[in-house]
Amino acid sequence: MSFITDKQTVIDLNLLGKYKTGSMFNLFNRVRTRGGELLLEEMFKAPLTDAAAINHRAASIAYLQQLDLKFEVNAGLAEMASHYLTEPRPVSRISCLLGAYKGKLQEMMYKSQKYYLQQRHIYAVQELLVSASNLLGQLIKKGSGDNPCKVMQDKMEAIINAPDLRQLKAKFPYTVGQTADCQFLFLNKFRQPLEELLQVLYEFDVYISVAQVAADKGFIYAQALATDPNGLISVENLRHPSLNNAKGNTLTISRKENLLFLTGANMAGKSTWMKTLGLSFYLAHMGFPVAADKMSFTVMDGIFTSINVPDDLSLGWSHFYAEVMRVKEVSRQVSSGKRLFILFDELFKGTNVKDAFDATLVVTQKLARYRACAFVISTHIIEVGEALKETNNIQFGYMPTIMKGATPHYTYAMAQGITTDRQGMIILENEKILDMLA
């Protein structure tokens, strides 16, 4: 079953985007090859939903992190080899020989580049084999103990050690006969194994890239649980992976207390903490490392967020109506029986305080009944929290504000309870706005 999410969640959590500042894709994108980059993007678009598969990927990346390998594949030659393997399959060596002689003749008569390019493509494949052989040498030399990458390693070894391929040495230019031999080997006899070799190299490219990020930033690997009668998500000192010196927080969301009701002043860190929880949950389902001291989670069906929901002029939706439609979609998913992680930041902020209070209260109460799901709901309307205290499966947290004179300071460390902070007018006065309008 596929992991369930949507475009709004991907935007809220800043997951994708090669050229988007602070995106999670950019954070882990140290790959060397175009194929590796495409595979990394595919992994971001399709988190895993099987605990064994998640833990195996995490173990594979952690293993390569321990080995500290160098992925030395020429990106241009790898792309050239990939393109070459899409060419039509030759019928026989004779047809390859005739084509090679024809190309050589055209080169001599018309200065055609076709024969030269064919040799360059062959050279690219041979260099790919050399690079794979070097990577295999590192894996064998540095490897020890349990090897979660053994299937990938064995597949790579079987391909590059095939007798017809092992004897090839990267050399350029070739004779016409050598060109024909290589063309038949690469595009006919060993076409599928070479395509598989490329995919294995792309996978190593991604895993080594992610392992380097984890090593540089001190990330850890979460433990995925297939089932847990009590726990849903547990994190210790969880931090936002893109922020330097980020403040960590600890939280457990269980079936017994499956909803965190979060309050706090503006700028106190509510939204950042919610994004941290959401994107870490997403990365953990990918088998990727997270910025924490420890994390475990029950594998769930998906995640939905409502953090920065815009209005929609094309549909004629106001901001409030867009919020309502977002809640409707999430409610439909939750009520279908799926196990989901839901994050709502400032529910119904597009309407008046009375309606926002009533709507936030009733929606929160009804969502909390779905014990297989985990929820984090934040609001400025702290009175809602007081009204929810009788609901026994809701836990309360807030992001504190410490006043130093007339200046608010923020700890970004979540505390238990409901905030009493009200600094809106103080901030307004500090910015001298009222003086400007005097």
Side-chain angles (χ1 to χ4, degrees):
M1 186 175 66
S2 299
F3 189 84
I4 307 166
T5 190
D6 63 1
K7 182 179 179 181
Q8 182 63 50
T9 301
V10 170
I11 293 172
D12 281 344
L13 302 180
N14 200 10
L15 294 170
L16 288 172
K18 180 178 179 180
Y19 302 106
K20 192 173 181 182
T21 303
S23 74
M24 291 299 100
F25 178 86
N26 262 338
L27 179 68
F28 289 101
N29 185 18
R30 297 187 185 180
V31 296
R32 297 288 300 275
T33 64
R34 174 59 178 161
E37 189 173 73
L38 291 173
L39 180 59
L40 178 64
E41 185 176 25
E42 183 181 319
M43 289 180 180
F44 263 95
K45 290 180 177 179
L48 304 172
T49 55
D50 177 76
I54 292 169
N55 289 330
H56 183 266
R57 181 182 285 175
S60 299
I61 298 172
Y63 176 76
L64 295 174
Q65 179 181 339
Q66 177 187 350
L67 298 187
D68 190 26
L69 301 179
K70 305 298 181 185
F71 187 80
E72 298 172 336
V73 174
N74 184 290
L77 292 178
E79 186 68 11
M80 187 180 292
S82 175
H83 177 74
Y84 181 55
L85 293 174
T86 65
E87 290 191 4
R89 185 186 297 271
V91 177
S92 65
R93 184 187 178 280
I94 297 298
S95 66
C96 292
L97 191 61
L98 291 174
Y101 273 113
K102 180 180 178 182
K104 183 64 176 177
L105 183 62
Q106 290 173 335
E107 180 184 65
M108 295 171 61
M109 295 180 65
Y110 313 120
K111 298 188 181 298
S112 170
Q113 292 290 303
K114 183 177 179 180
Y115 183 70
Y116 170 80
L117 290 175
Q118 186 181 56
Q119 290 189 316
R120 285 290 298 170
H121 288 151
I122 290 170
Y123 173 75
V125 175
Q126 290 185 303
E127 279 294 304
L128 193 73
L129 290 167
V130 171
S131 298
S133 180
N134 292 338
L135 178 60
L136 178 63
Q138 291 186 71
L139 286 164
I140 293 173
K141 181 180 179 180
K142 295 186 175 183
S144 61
D146 292 335
N147 179 5
C149 298
K150 183 170 173 41
V151 173
M152 295 164 58
Q153 181 176 323
D154 288 349
K155 180 183 286 189
M156 183 166 64
E157 184 173 11
I159 294 169
I160 63 180
N161 284 335
D164 286 343
L165 295 180
R166 187 171 54 188
Q167 65 183 354
L168 293 174
K169 302 293 182 182
K171 50 189 176 182
F172 180 78
Y174 310 90
T175 66
V176 174
Q178 289 171 332
T179 300
D181 287 340
C182 287
Q183 184 181 21
F184 182 70
L185 282 175
F186 295 161
L187 296 184
N188 189 309
K189 186 175 181 179
F190 285 97
R191 186 191 198 98
Q192 182 176 339
L194 288 171
E195 290 172 344
E196 292 175 357
L197 178 63
L198 270 171
Q199 294 305 312
V200 171
L201 286 173
Y202 294 155
E203 196 164 356
F204 272 117
D205 191 10
V206 171
Y207 286 4
I208 291 172
S209 169
V210 175
Q212 290 172 346
V213 175
D216 290 348
K217 293 184 172 291
F219 291 173
I220 60 94
Y221 298 88
Q223 180 187 12
L225 306 172
T227 58
D228 189 330
N230 298 311
L232 294 173
I233 304 167
S234 179
V235 296
E236 294 181 11
N237 195 27
L238 182 70
R239 308 172 297 281
H240 196 291
S242 293
L243 299 179
N244 295 326
N245 304 315
K247 177 67 180 180
N249 280 289
T250 296
L251 174 68
T252 296
I253 300 178
S254 65
R255 291 181 185 272
K256 184 178 179 181
E257 290 184 324
N258 66 315
L259 192 149
L260 169 65
F261 192 80
L262 185 64
T263 54
N266 271 324
M267 300 173 63
K270 298 191 305 299
S271 297
T272 299
W273 175 225
M274 294 179 75
K275 291 176 183 178
T276 300
L277 284 166
L279 65 87
S280 299
F281 175 85
Y282 194 97
L283 290 172
H285 275 77
M286 293 171 60
F288 278 28
V290 296
D293 291 348
K294 187 177 181 181
M295 178 176 180
S296 63
F297 64 100
T298 301
V299 176
M300 300 177 79
D301 296 324
I303 180 173
F304 288 90
T305 66
S306 182
I307 297 175
N308 296 306
V309 178
D311 57 12
D312 194 324
L313 297 178
S314 64
L315 294 175
W317 289 2
S318 67
H319 181 75
F320 174 67
Y321 194 71
E323 287 183 301
V324 170
M325 296 307 291
R326 185 63 178 163
V327 172
K328 179 180 179 180
E329 171 59 19
V330 171
S331 298
R332 185 181 68 83
Q333 296 285 350
V334 168
S335 62
S336 70
K338 297 182 178 70
R339 299 178 302 170
L340 302 169
F341 189 23
I342 306 297
L343 299 104
F344 280 129
D345 187 22
E346 297 294 343
L347 265 176
F348 306 118
K349 53 183 174 285
T351 189
N352 65 79
V353 175
K354 178 64 171 66
D355 281 344
F357 173 92
D358 293 338
T360 300
L361 177 60
V362 68
V363 168
T364 301
Q365 288 174 326
K366 287 185 176 296
L367 287 176
R369 297 183 304 174
Y370 292 88
R371 299 295 185 97
C373 295
F375 302 92
V376 179
I377 296 177
S378 77
T379 184
H380 279 107
I381 308 173
I382 60 178
E383 291 80 7
V384 177
E386 297 297 331
L388 288 170
K389 283 186 174 180
E390 300 303 316
T391 308
N392 59 15
N393 61 309
I394 295 179
Q395 55 180 305
F396 298 90
Y398 70 97
M399 309 303 284
T401 302
I402 298 174
M403 296 302 298
K404 295 183 178 180
T407 304
H409 291 264
Y410 309 106
T411 68
Y412 307 117
M414 189 181 72
Q416 292 185 348
I418 301 172
T419 187
T420 57
D421 297 332
R422 297 179 185 273
Q423 281 86 34
M425 284 301 298
I426 294 174
I427 295 173
L428 202 69
E429 291 169 358
N430 287 345
E431 295 302 318
K432 309 297 183 183
I433 293 174
L434 300 182
D435 293 342
M436 293 178 189
L437 300 174

